[in-house]
Amino acid sequence: MTSGLVETGIALAVVVVIAAIAVALHRRAPVPVEDGPEDEPYRIFTREFDRTIAATDLPESLREASPDGEKGYLEKDGRQWRAQIDRAEDVYGQMADLLPLEPGEADTLRDAAVLLMIDQSGSMRGEPMAWVAAGVRRLSDELGRRGANVAVAGYTTAGWHGGFARRKWLREGRPARPGRLCALLHIVYRPFDNASLDENAWRQMLNPDVLRENVDGEALEWGADYLKDRPERRRALLVVSDGAPVDDATLLANGLSYMHRHFLKVRDALLDAKDPELLAIGVGYHVSEFYPVSREALDAVGLAEVGLELVMGK
């Protein structure tokens, strides 16, 4: 009897400790501020730490662009990166001869500039990024074979949790509703007028340390600006994404709908302008609620196929 009481007492004590820990964690969890009004202007706390870099400057630039290294957030031995490269190379190697040129397709896109913009947020880590990289590489090959001038870029943030931008905000006394509170990172893997996606640049795309957070509204603005001076008659911005814009530092300080409202405003402006054309591929889910002209892809082959269909207008 006594033994049973002791065991019951121990069990109750364990439950109490677990509950106490849960409450403590809940109390420490940051609470986002309330959303502002629908017409609240989009602001940017600082552009000082934003970076646009060429793939050849990775990964060294990552160590300078954010405090992630000192926090232990950067990979030390490259094993994850090498595993990603092997995985993506296997997938890409299995895609040969899957998208043959149809009669008359060779020069169909000769007066088109197509920018493939890849969402490189943390949710793409692992298998999704491997097959997306393989699919994007094949899609860029196929668009080039049909005469298009192709560029490939990725959008992410320079560091987790706001990086140097948020640190500056903290030093300045945490002013209320600061606007975008992270440092943007745009990476050009294949610039326009290049014959193909360089092998080394493609491998850089698979670096796990690139995958952070995503500010889609400003990524669309960046992509449209990158395309605006192209001499081609037709310009298309094809976004490859697996979700809505998310940056924890920004959302906590401005409200949970802040980034989404800005994304919709930018998207609608591009749709109204119709130049560049705005197209999208959803990585594993439908993005039609965000992009009216879009398809879903579940693997690398599907990504290359639906991407080609979108650009060819099929």
Side-chain angles (χ1 to χ4, degrees), residues 187-226:
I187 305 164
V188 179
Y189 296 107
R190 175 182 176 177
F192 282 117
D193 303 315
N194 271 33
S196 63
L197 179 57
D198 178 79
E199 179 81 21
N200 181 58
W202 181 68
R203 291 182 175 186
Q204 299 294 338
M205 189 189 299
L206 294 154
N207 186 338
D209 290 333
V210 167
L211 307 177
R212 294 300 186 247
E213 299 182 271
N214 54 307
V215 184
D216 293 58
E218 290 192 68
L220 293 184
E221 291 176 326
W222 185 93
D225 187 65
Y226 194 74

Side-chain angles (χ1 to χ4, degrees), residues 2-275:
T2 304
S3 175
L5 290 173
V6 170
E7 290 175 358
T8 301
I10 292 173
L12 288 172
V14 169
V15 170
V16 169
V17 169
I18 292 174
I21 292 173
V23 169
L25 289 173
H26 178 73
R27 287 175 177 170
R28 286 204 300 270
V31 178
V33 302
E34 291 186 6
D35 277 320
E38 286 291 322
D39 60 352
E40 179 183 22
Y42 184 77
R43 295 177 298 276
I44 298 166
F45 181 70
T46 180
R47 296 184 187 272
E48 179 182 353
F49 307 104
D50 295 352
R51 298 289 184 270
T52 295
I53 62 175
T56 52
D57 294 330
L58 285 171
E60 197 57 41
S61 293
L62 294 176
R63 303 184 182 281
E64 302 169 358
S66 82
D68 281 4
E70 65 188 62
K71 292 182 176 182
Y73 293 157
L74 296 181
E75 199 180 8
K76 289 184 172 61
D77 55 19
R79 282 182 293 180
Q80 291 183 46
W81 189 4
R82 289 192 295 272
Q84 276 292 82
I85 291 171
D86 290 343
R87 187 180 296 137
E89 286 181 338
D90 286 345
V91 174
Y92 180 73
Q94 296 167 16
M95 298 177 69
D97 303 322
L98 291 176
L99 298 169
L101 278 171
E102 300 294 335
E105 282 190 342
D107 293 322
T108 311
L109 300 173
R110 64 182 178 277
D111 202 20
V114 182
L115 172 59
L116 305 180
M117 281 280 290
I118 309 165
D119 168 2
Q120 293 197 270
S121 54
S123 56
M124 296 279 278
R125 187 173 298 276
E127 192 65 31
M129 194 65 235
W131 68 255
V132 164
V136 164
R137 183 179 179 184
R138 186 56 194 270
L139 176 58
S140 68
D141 292 344
E142 294 302 329
L143 292 172
R145 290 176 68 204
R146 288 156 177 78
N149 198 340
V150 182
V152 180
Y155 64 96
T156 180
T157 58
W160 286 116
H161 314 310
F164 289 131
R166 183 174 182 275
R167 287 188 173 192
K168 181 175 183 177
W169 174 71
L170 293 173
R171 289 196 303 271
E172 295 185 7
R174 305 185 184 208
R177 307 197 73 81
R180 191 250 290 168
L181 201 53
C182 59
L184 301 186
L185 179 61
H186 294 105
I187 305 164
V188 179
Y189 296 107
R190 175 182 176 177
F192 282 117
D193 303 315
N194 271 33
S196 63
L197 179 57
D198 178 79
E199 179 81 21
N200 181 58
W202 181 68
R203 291 182 175 186
Q204 299 294 338
M205 189 189 299
L206 294 154
N207 186 338
D209 290 333
V210 167
L211 307 177
R212 294 300 186 247
E213 299 182 271
N214 54 307
V215 184
D216 293 58
E218 290 192 68
L220 293 184
E221 291 176 326
W222 185 93
D225 187 65
Y226 194 74
L227 276 161
K228 71 178 182 180
D229 294 326
R230 293 305 309 170
E232 290 82 4
R233 179 186 56 82
R234 183 186 174 202
R235 292 177 283 269
L237 174 56
L238 175 50
V239 179
V240 181
S241 173
D242 76 336
V246 175
D247 172 68
D248 288 346
T250 299
L251 297 180
L252 287 169
N254 298 277
L256 294 180
S257 72
Y258 187 76
M259 295 173 64
H260 188 65
R261 295 200 310 267
H262 178 249
F263 162 73
L264 293 178
K265 181 178 179 180
V266 174
R267 180 208 63 182
D268 290 347
L270 289 178
L271 290 174
D272 289 344
K274 297 183 174 61
D275 186 17

Side-chain angles (χ1 to χ4, degrees), residues 116 131 139 238-242 279-283 285 287 291 293-297 302-304 306-308 310:
L116 305 180
W131 68 255
L139 176 58
L238 175 50
V239 179
V240 181
S241 173
D242 76 336
L279 314 169
I281 299 172
V283 177
Y285 91 120
V287 291
Y291 299 97
V293 184
S294 60
R295 302 280 195 282
E296 179 186 6
L303 189 153
V306 300
L308 197 56
L310 285 166

